């Protein structure tokens, strides 16, 4: 990927810095996220063709607010500021930022004041997504104010001869009308870049990178049955062949049919070596009496690694050489939510990022770490993986353990497994698998409610249906499923799963809620 023009997204603590990078890639330009703590010399070594400054939760005038070397604006590299990045650009170049008392959150109308490259060809009134309490009140010298809003006297500015521009709103979110067009105007009209990047032309580059990293070494890959680990394994298998052994851990936290899918679909498509480890009781014992979701994730991450180490020991005995590498299907959103982005908050630890034990002995191979889910699916198609794997709904590595709100035991898992199977079956029958991004089914094991079944009083558990629509899991909205479909799912669950007497629908977007409950 290093052979492509690079746009750097400087992260100032925004949860959506990765989303900006994704939008840049959609425009056909490769992008990566970096910390605002990087020195200018380090940034210049990366040879970026343009820089985008992300949003962030701080005020630019606050003590210890995240910043960047102001010389970046004099480096000759085109720079585009978004929200916090826009305010930082203004302040760094002699403008003013202050709290005006006119905060804007959500959909807002901006008025395009003059002709500009950023808004070229767009209508004079644009609906955009705002999220700010501070505002730019004075633009830097030689900058033209190009847009205003009711809460932002300066909602956008640009200096075309300096190749600098910025906007107060968030063009990266789908709620902003023509947001992608605004970004592309910066990339193509101000930064003068050419679209040359796509997932179709990086597969061979990824394989080459893997070869360089592993060489003649041995690697194991933990397969979950999901698209992420399957594509990661397929890439590594292309690179090192039989020096890869895939390990499928049956931890007892799987949904119905997942073990069989891995055994049949993946192995048939790739020819990779597969070892199945039955560790159901081990995980149940480790999770016994534990209800805290973060602790659950860390327990599962720890036990995964311990099982991998045991599998590696067995491989070493037969191969007569060490297994040094562990392949994982870590994606960009995993890294962001685990708090590894600069100044980002930890939303939840992912078992393959924040949940790894400190005494990990493997060297990690994470070929998908800089890709989003939709990009991973495209790479999977390049590798000729079957649609059953490529189009599978995302499923968390910790499995059903984080969809049981309460204690993870065999009884609760069986309740949830049965309800989940019904929901998935009905969604497939309705032909909606590809229209719904993900369909978590959650058991509230610590909650009981009164019901009536067969003229008798029941005291059963609620099941939560959480169908969501998304592009990349960074943001999501609840899927508006047909009421008749929801009714069929509810009726079947309450009729067929005797421990459940209530089915509810989660209609929360992300943000403020995450897709998974834990």
């Amino acid at each position: 990927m290093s052979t492509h023009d690079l746009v750097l997204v400087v992260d100032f603590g925004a949860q959506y810095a990765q989303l900006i990078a994704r939008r840049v890639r959609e425009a056909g330009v490769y992008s990566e996220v970096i910390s605002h703590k990087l020195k200018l010399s380090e940034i210049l070594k990366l040879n970026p063709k343009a820089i985008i400054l992300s949003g962030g939760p701080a005020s630019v005038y606050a003590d210890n607010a995240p910043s960047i070397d102001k010389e970046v604006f004099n480096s000759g590299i085109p720079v585009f500021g978004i929200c916090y990045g826009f305010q930082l650009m203004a302040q760094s170049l002699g403008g003013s930022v202050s709290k005006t008392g006119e905060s804007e959150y959500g959909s807002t109308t901006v008025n395009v004041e003059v002709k500009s490259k950023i808004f070229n060809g767009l209508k004079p009134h644009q609906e955009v997504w705002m999220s700010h309490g501070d505002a730019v009140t004075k633009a830097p010298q030689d900058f033209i104010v190009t847009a205003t809003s009711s809460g932002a006297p300066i909602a956008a500015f640009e200096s075309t001869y300096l190749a600098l521009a910025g906007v107060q709103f968030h063009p990266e979110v789908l709620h902003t009308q023509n947001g992608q067009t605004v970004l592309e105007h910066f990339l193509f009209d101000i930064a003068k870049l050419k679209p040359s990047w796509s997932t179709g032309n990086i597969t061979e580059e990824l394989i080459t990178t893997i070869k360089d990293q592993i060489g003649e070494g041995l690697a194991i890959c933990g397969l979950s049955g999901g698209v992420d680990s399957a594509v990661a394994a397929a890439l590594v298998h292309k690179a090192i062949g039989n020096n890869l052994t895939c390990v499928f851990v049956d931890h007892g936290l799987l949904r119905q049919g997942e073990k069989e899918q891995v055994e049949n679909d993946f192995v048939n498509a790739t020819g990779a070596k597969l070892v199945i480890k039955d560790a159901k009781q081990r995980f149940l014992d480790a999770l016994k009496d534990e209800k805290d979701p973060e602790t659950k994730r860390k327990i599962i991450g720890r036990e995964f690694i311990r099982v991998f180490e045991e599998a590696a020991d067995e491989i070493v005995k037969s191969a007569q050489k060490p297994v040094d590498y562990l392949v994982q299907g870590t994606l960009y959103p995993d890294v962001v939510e685990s708090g590894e982005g600069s100044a980002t908050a930890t939303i939840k630890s992912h078992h393959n990022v924040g949940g790894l034990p400190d005494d990990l002995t493997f060297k990690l191979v994470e070929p998908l770490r800089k890709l989003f889910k939709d990009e991973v699916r495209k790479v999977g198609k390049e590798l000729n993986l079957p649609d059953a794997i490529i189009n599978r709904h995302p499923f968390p590595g910790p499995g059903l353990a984080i969809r049981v709100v309460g204690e993870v035991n065999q009884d609760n898992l069986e309740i949830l497994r049965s309800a989940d199977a019904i929901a998935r079956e009905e969604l497939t029958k309705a032909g909606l698998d590809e229209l719904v991004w993900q369909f978590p089914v959650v058991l509230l094991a610590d909650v009981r409610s009164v019901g009536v079944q067969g003229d008798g009083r029941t005291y059963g558990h609620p099941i939560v249906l959480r169908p969501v629509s998304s592009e990349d899991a960074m943001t999501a909205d609840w899927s508006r499923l047909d009421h008749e479909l929801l009714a069929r799912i509810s009726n079947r669950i309450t009729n067929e799963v005797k421990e459940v007497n209530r089915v509810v629908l989660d209609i929360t977007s992300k943000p403020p809620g995450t897709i998974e409950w834990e």
Side-chain angles (χ1 to χ4, degrees):
M1 287 182 276
S2 60
T3 59
H4 303 277
D5 285 348
L6 171 65
V7 173
L8 292 178
V9 178
V10 182
D11 180 9
F12 292 103
Q15 286 296 330
Y16 304 125
Q18 308 288 347
L19 186 54
I20 299 171
R22 185 184 184 282
R23 298 299 184 216
V24 173
R25 294 184 196 184
E26 285 180 0
V29 181
Y30 183 66
S31 59
E32 291 186 7
V33 177
I34 62 168
S35 167
H36 67 272
K37 297 177 182 178
L38 256 65
K39 296 177 182 177
L40 179 60
S41 59
E42 295 174 305
I43 292 174
L44 295 178
K45 283 181 182 178
L46 297 173
N47 192 30
K49 301 304 181 185
I51 294 173
I52 298 178
L53 309 180
S54 84
S59 292
V60 294
Y61 49 76
D63 292 340
N64 301 316
S67 188
I68 192 171
D69 189 330
K70 65 174 61 177
E71 285 304 309
V72 74
F73 302 113
N74 299 318
S75 65
I77 302 170
V79 183
F80 185 57
I82 294 174
C83 194
Y84 182 91
F86 168 64
Q87 295 173 6
L88 183 62
M89 181 186 293
Q91 179 174 273
S92 299
L93 295 174
S96 299
V97 179
S98 60
K99 189 174 290 293
T100 63
E102 296 288 335
S103 301
E104 291 175 312
Y105 297 98
S107 184
T108 305
T109 300
V110 296
N111 304 304
V112 179
E113 298 295 317
V114 298
K115 289 184 178 180
S116 70
K117 290 195 174 183
I118 289 294
F119 295 106
N120 184 39
L122 299 182
K123 294 180 179 179
H125 305 294
Q126 296 288 312
E127 289 300 312
V128 302
W129 192 259
M130 290 280 200
S131 182
H132 69 99
D134 299 330
V136 176
T137 52
K138 176 187 173 185
Q141 187 176 357
D142 298 326
F143 276 68
I144 298 172
V145 176
T146 57
T148 65
S149 71
S150 60
I154 300 175
F157 58 42
E158 63 185 56
S159 174
T160 52
Y161 83 93
L162 292 174
L164 304 176
V167 295
Q168 180 61 67
F169 57 87
H170 288 270
E172 73 273 20
V173 302
L174 291 176
H175 304 85
T176 292
Q177 183 183 39
N178 300 312
Q180 186 69 13
T181 299
V182 167
L183 275 174
E184 291 180 6
H185 281 329
F186 167 72
L187 296 171
F188 304 138
D189 298 338
I190 292 180
K192 306 297 184 183
L193 300 178
K194 301 291 184 184
S196 64
W197 183 86
S198 71
T199 52
N201 60 27
I202 67 165
T203 301
E204 288 303 319
E205 294 177 38
L206 290 170
I207 292 170
T208 299
T209 300
I210 295 164
K211 286 179 179 177
D212 291 341
Q213 180 180 1
I214 299 177
E216 297 300 317
L218 299 184
I220 62 173
C221 176
L223 278 180
S224 67
V227 63
D228 304 339
S229 63
V231 173
L235 277 169
V236 176
H237 184 255
K238 281 276 188 183
I240 66 172
N242 285 333
N243 280 350
L244 170 71
T245 300
C246 295
V247 178
F248 180 78
V249 178
D250 186 355
H251 50 24
L253 309 173
L254 302 169
R255 298 183 297 184
Q256 287 185 10
E258 290 184 305
K259 176 183 174 182
E260 292 74 19
Q261 182 186 58
V262 171
E263 286 183 294
N264 299 325
D265 295 344
F266 178 78
V267 174
N268 288 340
T270 64
K273 291 190 294 186
L274 176 66
V275 172
I276 297 177
K277 300 289 289 185
D278 186 341
K280 292 190 284 289
Q281 194 58 51
R282 175 183 188 142
F283 278 81
L284 284 175
D285 290 344
L287 290 165
K288 183 175 175 58
D289 298 327
E290 186 55 62
K291 296 184 178 183
D292 178 72
E294 273 297 282
T295 306
K296 285 182 189 177
R297 287 176 177 271
K298 291 185 182 299
I299 288 171
I300 292 166
R302 181 193 71 213
E303 295 303 318
F304 257 109
I305 295 301
R306 298 292 90 96
V307 174
F308 287 146
E309 288 172 340
E310 292 172 6
D313 288 342
E314 295 170 7
I315 296 167
V316 167
K317 290 176 182 177
S318 61
Q320 298 297 302
K321 61 186 295 189
V323 176
D324 293 326
Y325 298 93
L326 171 62
V327 180
Q328 295 201 127
T330 307
L331 306 189
Y332 245 174
D334 298 339
V335 176
V336 174
E337 290 198 338
S338 294
E340 290 197 10
S342 165
T344 54
T346 298
I347 305 302
K348 57 191 176 187
S349 294
H350 288 258
H351 79 284
N352 56 345
V353 185
L356 292 174
D358 293 334
D359 59 347
L360 180 70
T361 58
F362 296 112
K363 298 173 185 175
L364 291 181
V365 179
E366 299 175 307
L368 311 178
R369 189 179 178 88
K370 293 182 178 178
L371 298 183
F372 292 96
K373 180 75 75 171
D374 60 321
E375 295 172 327
V376 171
R377 294 190 199 280
K378 291 174 183 176
V379 171
K381 288 184 181 295
E382 289 286 316
L383 296 170
N384 296 315
L385 289 178
D387 288 343
I389 290 177
I390 293 172
N391 296 326
R392 182 177 183 265
H393 284 182
F395 187 59
L400 297 179
I402 59 169
R403 294 182 179 176
V404 174
V405 179
E407 184 181 352
V408 180
N409 56 44
Q410 192 60 46
D411 290 341
N412 287 339
L413 287 169
E414 286 305 322
I415 294 169
L416 179 54
R417 195 172 281 120
S418 298
D420 173 85
I422 291 168
R424 287 191 293 139
E425 181 182 328
E426 290 296 335
L427 191 73
T428 300
K429 282 182 181 178
L432 298 177
D433 283 335
E434 293 188 20
L435 295 179
V436 175
W437 166 268
Q438 197 170 359
F439 197 172
V441 176
V442 180
L443 170 66
L444 303 185
D446 282 351
V447 177
R448 287 182 178 269
S449 64
V450 174
V452 56
Q453 291 169 303
D455 295 327
R457 179 185 184 278
T458 62
Y459 197 48
H461 297 288
I463 282 286
V464 181
L465 305 180
R466 175 69 166 141
V468 296
S469 300
S470 180
E471 288 186 300
D472 48 36
M474 296 300 294
T475 59
D477 196 9
W478 63 282
S479 302
R480 274 63 166 177
L481 298 183
D482 180 75
H483 288 181
E484 292 301 317
L485 171 60
L486 292 171
R488 284 197 302 274
I489 293 172
S490 177
N491 288 339
R492 283 196 59 192
I493 290 175
T494 52
N495 285 332
E496 298 175 31
V497 186
K498 62 183 179 61
E499 298 88 352
V500 176
N501 65 358
R502 194 176 297 270
V503 176
V504 299
L505 178 66
D506 183 347
I507 59 170
T508 314
S509 63
K510 176 186 179 180
T514 56
I515 293 176
E516 299 290 347
W517 272 48
E518 292 194 343

